[in-house]
Amino acid sequence: MAVFSPRKFSFSIIFLGLMTVLRSQAALDVHYYDRTCPEAEKIIRYTVLNASMHDAKAPARILRMFFHDCFIRGCDASVLLDSTPQNQAEKDGPPNISLRAFYVIDDAKTKLESACPKAVSCADIVAIAARDVVAMSGGPFWNVLKGRKDGRISKASETINLPAPTFNVSTLIQSFTKRGLGVKDLVALSGGHTLGFSHCSSFQARLHNFSSVQDIDPTMNPEFAETLKKKCPKPNKNGNAGQFLDSTASTFDNNYYKQLLAGKGVFGSDQALYGDYRTKWIVESFANDQSLFFKEFATSMVKLGNVGVMENGEVRLNCRVVN
């Protein structure tokens, strides 16, 4: 009888993941703006750094913006479009109401249009900014593939397709698979929660009347659950109340995975990763080896950045409206 080896399996996943990235690079190029806007990445980096110095929530929101953009219609900056009287856009869908860092992308776009008009797409700005907030917060740096075009369609109704904090592992795997992302990508990209904050509404169902027989989700550390209950009483009259998703929420590290091992995942979807044999060993690997997590996170971010890349889109002059 064959013996299942997580170590051998992990190498297979990493190899296949890298092959997928290499195949997808045909449409994008690290050096895409070398001639048309050589200062593009520098302009974006300084814009993001300045915003982060004045707004502590900006890094987490920009990273989340990239995820939410790529998961709906691919990485086409559809999340940046404003609603119109005829259409409610993605940014006004329930999962995106708390993003609120669109001004950072607007600022970068204004500076880029001054330096090199009609050259840099809004989709590329979001991808580069997401990399920069990770690196600035102590995480890995990777070369962002560039050359995305901006889409013209954005619908709030489609945000229902974003992974929810209540998903189990099977549902999460299905969601990621639809976008060409594997189990390793799921666990690695979930590590983006090392930066971030959640309002009570996203996890309070785990704290009150969880089931007919249990008040609290049994996968949650009891002491941690009591701490969250105090922050999120029922009924909760404080709309700003919530919890950081990681005890070192301003630093990009592997503490998120260590918290899962201790039963201190804030979202049910996060804690579920440690309760399922398909993902548990990857969680443990990342909790024990931060450099491995950084490597796999960077690889998965490149793969995510290749989801639904448009070849026939436009380069918006204003990220909030189509040309």
Side-chain angles (χ1 to χ4, degrees):
M1 181 177 177
V3 177
F4 174 70
S5 172
R7 183 177 295 276
K8 290 181 180 179
F9 185 52
S10 67
F11 283 126
S12 298
I13 289 178
I14 292 169
F15 176 74
L16 290 172
L18 288 172
M19 289 302 293
T20 301
V21 171
L22 290 173
R23 285 197 300 268
S24 66
Q25 286 184 3
L28 302 177
D29 185 354
V30 170
H31 304 289
Y32 189 83
Y33 296 114
D34 282 4
R35 292 186 177 182
T36 58
C37 194
E39 296 293 301
E41 292 203 39
K42 182 178 180 180
I43 291 171
I44 295 169
R45 181 168 64 252
Y46 281 117
T47 303
V48 170
L49 177 60
N50 183 62
S52 300
M53 291 173 62
H54 294 89
D55 181 358
K57 295 180 180 179
R61 287 171 170 171
I62 291 171
L63 181 57
R64 188 161 158 251
M65 185 188 301
F66 177 65
F67 290 155
H68 285 210
D69 181 41
C70 293
F71 258 76
I72 305 298
R73 295 184 172 271
C75 309
D76 67 346
S78 54
V79 74
L80 303 180
L81 288 172
D82 281 344
S83 295
T84 67
Q86 294 77 34
N87 177 67
Q88 187 177 34
E90 286 174 37
K91 64 169 55 173
D92 291 321
N96 291 333
I97 295 296
S98 60
L99 288 181
R100 298 175 187 165
F102 300 110
Y103 72 92
V104 183
I105 309 301
D106 292 336
D107 190 17
K109 180 62 174 174
T110 298
K111 292 174 181 175
L112 288 165
E113 284 301 311
S114 177
C116 33
K118 305 177 183 179
V120 183
S121 69
C122 299
D124 277 348
I125 296 174
V126 175
I128 294 168
R131 185 274 313 277
D132 288 345
V133 297
V134 169
M136 289 174 189
S137 302
F141 180 94
W142 61 94
N143 289 318
V144 175
L145 300 175
K146 297 170 282 290
R148 297 167 189 79
K149 294 296 187 289
D150 300 324
R152 300 175 61 86
I153 300 172
S154 182
K155 298 181 179 180
S157 59
E158 294 182 351
T159 60
I160 195 173
N161 295 313
L162 289 168
T166 55
F167 277 8
N168 59 34
V169 171
S170 293
T171 309
L172 286 170
I173 290 176
Q174 290 173 5
S175 179
F176 276 66
T177 299
K178 288 179 181 178
R179 293 153 179 88
L181 301 168
V183 177
K184 181 265 297 180
D185 301 308
L186 160 62
V187 181
L189 292 173
S190 294
H193 286 167
T194 185
L195 300 178
F197 176 88
S198 173
H199 292 100
C200 295
S201 58
S202 294
F203 60 85
Q204 62 186 9
R206 302 182 69 202
L207 305 171
H208 308 280
N209 304 117
F210 178 72
S211 70
S212 59
V213 294
Q214 291 174 307
D215 191 42
I216 298 173
D217 182 344
T219 65
M220 184 178 282
N221 177 290
E223 293 180 1
F224 185 60
E226 288 303 320
T227 298
L228 295 185
K229 270 189 142 182
K230 293 177 181 178
K231 293 183 177 181
C232 306
K234 188 178 180 180
N236 176 30
K237 297 181 180 180
N238 181 2
N240 294 319
Q243 173 70 21
F244 287 106
L245 302 181
D246 180 329
S247 60
T248 56
S250 62
T251 303
F252 195 97
D253 55 23
N254 68 336
N255 195 55
Y256 160 84
Y257 298 102
K258 294 178 180 179
Q259 290 196 181
L260 299 187
L261 268 59
K264 296 182 179 180
V266 177
F267 293 153
S269 58
D270 286 336
Q271 194 59 53
L273 297 176
Y274 188 57
D276 191 291
Y277 74 94
R278 293 168 291 183
T279 50
K280 181 177 181 178
W281 65 271
I282 308 177
V283 170
E284 291 174 334
S285 296
F286 290 165
N288 293 327
D289 189 342
Q290 180 167 279
S291 62
L292 175 64
F293 163 50
F294 281 11
K295 175 186 174 185
E296 298 305 332
F297 183 83
T299 299
S300 294
M301 284 290 280
V302 173
K303 287 181 66 175
L304 177 61
N306 280 272
V307 173
V309 171
M310 298 187 67
E311 296 181 1
N312 300 315
E314 62 185 19
V315 174
R316 284 186 220 139
L317 304 182
N318 179 339
C319 291
R320 293 175 176 265
V321 296
V322 298
N323 291 343

